Amino acid sequence: MPQKHPLLLLIFSVFLIFQTSDGHNITRLLAKHPSLSSFNHYLTLTHLAQEINRRTTITVLALDNAAMSSLLNKNPSIYTMKNILSLHVLLDYFGAKKLHQITNGTALAATMFQATGVAPGVSGFVNITDFKGGKVGFGAEANGGDLDSFFVKSVEELPYNISVIQISKALPSAIAEAPTPGPSELNITGIMSAHGCKVFADTLLANPEAMGTYEDNLNGGLTVFCPLDDAFKAFLPKYKNLTASGKESFLEFFGVPVYQSLSMLKSNNGLMNTLATDGASKFDFTVQNDGEQVTLKTKINTVKITGTLLDEQPVAIYTIDKVLMPRELFKAAPTPAPAPAPEEAADAPKASKSKSKSKSKSKSAPTPESDAPADSPDDDPADQTADDNAALSFKGGRFVAVGLNFLLVFLLL
Ligand SMILES: *[C@@H]1O[C@H](CO)[C@@H](O)[C@H](O)[C@H]1NC(C)=O
Ligand SMILES: *[C@@H]1O[C@H](CO)[C@@H](O)[C@H](O)[C@H]1NC(C)=O
Ligand SMILES: *[C@@H]1O[C@H](CO)[C@@H](O)[C@H](O)[C@H]1NC(C)=O
Ligand SMILES: *[C@@H]1O[C@H](CO)[C@@H](O)[C@H](O)[C@H]1NC(C)=O
Ligand SMILES: *[C@@H]1O[C@H](CO)[C@@H](O)[C@H](O)[C@H]1NC(C)=O
Ligand SMILES: *[C@@H]1O[C@H](CO)[C@@H](O)[C@H](O)[C@H]1NC(C)=O
């Protein structure tokens, strides 16, 4: 395979984050190989198995029970174990054949350790070198070029979804093996700033009350959805318009007080409370997924999760493509009526005024499942406007999303 520039591999890996395969189950693949049972057990304990099953075009560098026990002799915590093993999952496909045909004999591969956002610099890359005589060596790039772990044999290959190959010993890496800092030592604004959410991170840092709320939740579990810079920058005039308490609630709205891996988000579709939720102020949103694409939605708009910046139980940080707007603070803007549904638009608001809300919903919307969540209705004006918008575009979930996205783009211009 051609030698790739690390950055290219990294970008490539970002695209792979949301690809999955229903085709493989690493736990089941490894279960056929008793000599790899300890490795298999730890993939499950660290939740890496789920992550491996979610991805395609990957290579797992498996360790036999002897190699695992020398690793375990150092008594790593489960978090450290997760870092070490995630360095053994390459975000590219290397079957036995491809390993021996590496262009110019050497390549750098990004790993899942790199993708967690914890690995500094190049420490999440693995150097693969094809030596004379067909011996293939592996080493963590940050380990001074020592390639002292070698290809043993191919274990399982499902081209080009997943390749499992056995290597002779764990890849030494001082960084992956370092005691993992407790979650309270994590610098979440630093991680966000370094990965495309600098404007959001700076805004959060400038608001000590909201920042304090995030920090208070680090140990118990926290999931952050940070809007990417372009989107948040364009939103700043609206943010600045909020009252002091509105600003605090708004910033807290992007944090959820529990740890949610991407697979958990996919399987826990439904309403989610946020750090801003406080009694009557719901500040919640709905999580939905369409295959691999996870979206967050309020009655005002819908945003997509576009990447994972950190996924280290108990803290996860994801990027979102737009600024999710809580209906407690924003009203849906007057709609530049989308062409396909002008008639319904004219009728729906009248119908909803004379009837109870839930009734009008089922009346005006033949496909209620595409409408807003089955949320207890209340009668604030923002809510009302949002409902009208939903009625405008009830032809299907996709259309609702397109319409609201259009609306948001329009608002951001
Ligand atoms: C392979 O090596 C040659 C000569 O050193 C170099 O010109 C070429 O760019 C290398 N190819 C790759 C893919 O690194
Ligand atoms: C690879 O994954 C796809 C689904 O993403 C599946 O349809 C296909 O059968 C898998 N291939 C192999 C060889 O398992
Ligand atoms: C993978 O296989 C294991 C063992 O057969 C099973 O317990 C687990 O539920 C499977 N995971 C998925 C996602 O199917
Ligand atoms: C991998 O390591 C070897 C030995 O240290 C080095 O010669 C080679 O250039 C490295 N390969 C890459 C792609 O950095
Ligand atoms: C967190 O990271 C930011 C940006 O990298 C840095 O300015 C700040 O000093 C860090 N905070 C702590 C407490 O380390
Ligand atoms: C800020 O609020 C004022 C008064 O409610 C409104 O007229 C103005 O359009 C708002 N600006 C933005 C950028 O939302």
Side-chain angles (χ1 to χ4, degrees):
M1 81 141 249
Q3 182 182 342
K4 288 182 186 164
H5 188 278
L7 188 63
L8 282 182
L9 277 170
L10 191 61
I11 290 168
F12 189 45
S13 74
V14 168
F15 280 108
L16 290 177
I17 283 177
F18 291 102
Q19 280 188 21
T20 329
S21 138
D22 296 323
H24 63 258
N25 177 335
I26 185 69
T27 314
R28 202 175 301 146
L29 285 175
L30 290 174
K32 297 181 228 165
H33 305 272
S35 67
L36 306 174
S37 61
S38 170
F39 183 76
N40 197 7
H41 177 63
Y42 275 90
L43 287 186
T44 302
L45 279 187
T46 54
H47 301 289
L48 282 170
Q50 274 173 297
E51 296 298 306
I52 291 169
N53 294 344
R54 220 158 49 69
R55 294 174 186 248
T56 55
T57 329
I58 60 169
T59 304
V60 177
L61 306 177
L63 303 169
D64 68 8
N65 294 341
M68 277 301 284
S69 68
S70 34
L71 198 53
L72 292 166
N73 279 343
K74 298 177 196 162
N75 281 321
S77 74
I78 196 72
Y79 300 120
T80 299
M81 211 45 199
K82 183 172 186 176
N83 284 345
I84 296 172
L85 295 182
S86 63
L87 185 66
H88 291 71
V89 183
L90 312 181
L91 304 180
D92 199 350
Y93 184 88
F94 290 95
K97 193 167 159 214
K98 190 171 161 192
L99 274 182
H100 293 95
Q101 294 174 345
I102 293 173
T103 313
N104 285 357
T106 182
L108 275 187
T111 66
M112 216 178 251
F113 184 44
Q114 189 74 31
T116 56
V118 190
V122 293
S123 59
F125 286 87
V126 166
N127 176 323
I128 307 172
T129 297
D130 207 354
F131 294 109
K132 285 206 178 69
K135 210 171 181 192
V136 180
F138 295 82
E141 177 65 359
N143 198 40
D146 275 352
L147 305 173
D148 54 1
S149 180
F150 296 97
F151 172 75
V152 175
K153 66 179 186 208
S154 168
V155 177
E156 296 282 341
E157 295 191 19
L158 303 176
Y160 292 89
N161 293 355
I162 182 170
S163 164
V164 182
I165 59 186
Q166 187 186 333
I167 59 172
S168 57
K169 61 177 215 150
L171 304 176
S173 159
I175 295 164
E177 287 166 39
T180 309
S184 59
E185 291 157 60
L186 276 175
N187 183 345
I188 57 167
T189 51
I191 293 169
M192 290 192 272
S193 291
H195 295 91
C197 293
K198 183 167 180 352
V199 185
F200 178 75
D202 289 348
T203 311
L204 190 54
L205 279 172
N207 191 309
E209 292 80 18
M211 190 63 214
T213 308
Y214 276 80
E215 277 166 353
D216 291 346
N217 281 277
L218 278 173
N219 278 320
L222 177 68
T223 303
V224 184
F225 300 94
C226 67
L228 287 166
D229 281 344
D230 285 349
F232 202 76
K233 204 184 281 172
F235 195 82
L236 279 178
K238 285 205 191 65
Y239 169 75
K240 295 202 171 116
N241 227 10
L242 296 171
T243 63
S245 78
K247 283 183 176 130
E248 183 187 340
S249 296
F250 175 74
L251 292 172
E252 291 170 353
F253 176 66
F254 295 89
V256 167
V258 279
Y259 165 77
Q260 295 274 351
S261 70
L262 207 51
S263 1
M264 291 160 85
L265 286 171
K266 274 186 234 148
S267 52
N268 297 347
N269 279 197
L271 274 184
M272 195 162 276
N273 284 336
T274 67
L275 297 175
T277 303
D278 179 14
S281 304
K282 285 203 226 143
F283 283 101
D284 53 14
F285 54 75
T286 304
V287 179
Q288 282 181 341
N289 72 299
D290 180 5
E292 292 311 300
Q293 180 63 65
V294 181
T295 60
L296 314 180
K297 116 180 184 183
T298 64
K299 289 193 173 176
I300 315 291
N301 69 343
T302 301
V303 306
K304 289 179 188 163
I305 294 185
T306 55
T308 303
L309 300 188
L310 178 80
D311 182 358
E312 286 274 290
Q313 209 171 358
V315 181
I317 306 178
Y318 306 101
T319 54
I320 50 179
D321 64 339
K322 301 196 190 89
V323 179
L324 185 65
M325 293 196 269
R327 67 188 165 124
E328 286 78 3
L329 293 175
F330 298 97
K331 292 178 189 206
T335 314
E343 279 154 33
E344 288 92 329
D347 291 345
K350 283 174 211 140
S352 68
K353 270 185 196 124
S354 54
K355 309 248 157 80
S356 88
K357 242 179 164 188
S358 53
K359 262 191 187 162
S360 80
K361 250 182 208 166
S362 52
K363 224 186 166 181
S364 63
T367 52
E369 67 275 19
S370 73
D371 203 346
D375 192 353
S376 71
D378 54 40
D379 279 342
D380 66 83
D383 197 29
Q384 190 62 57
T385 326
D387 267 340
D388 295 347
N389 285 340
L392 263 183
S393 43
F394 58 71
K395 291 243 159 104
R398 193 169 292 276
F399 184 40
V400 170
V402 169
L404 292 179
N405 287 350
F406 172 76
L407 196 64
L408 188 72
V409 169
F410 180 79
L411 287 174
L412 292 178
L413 286 177

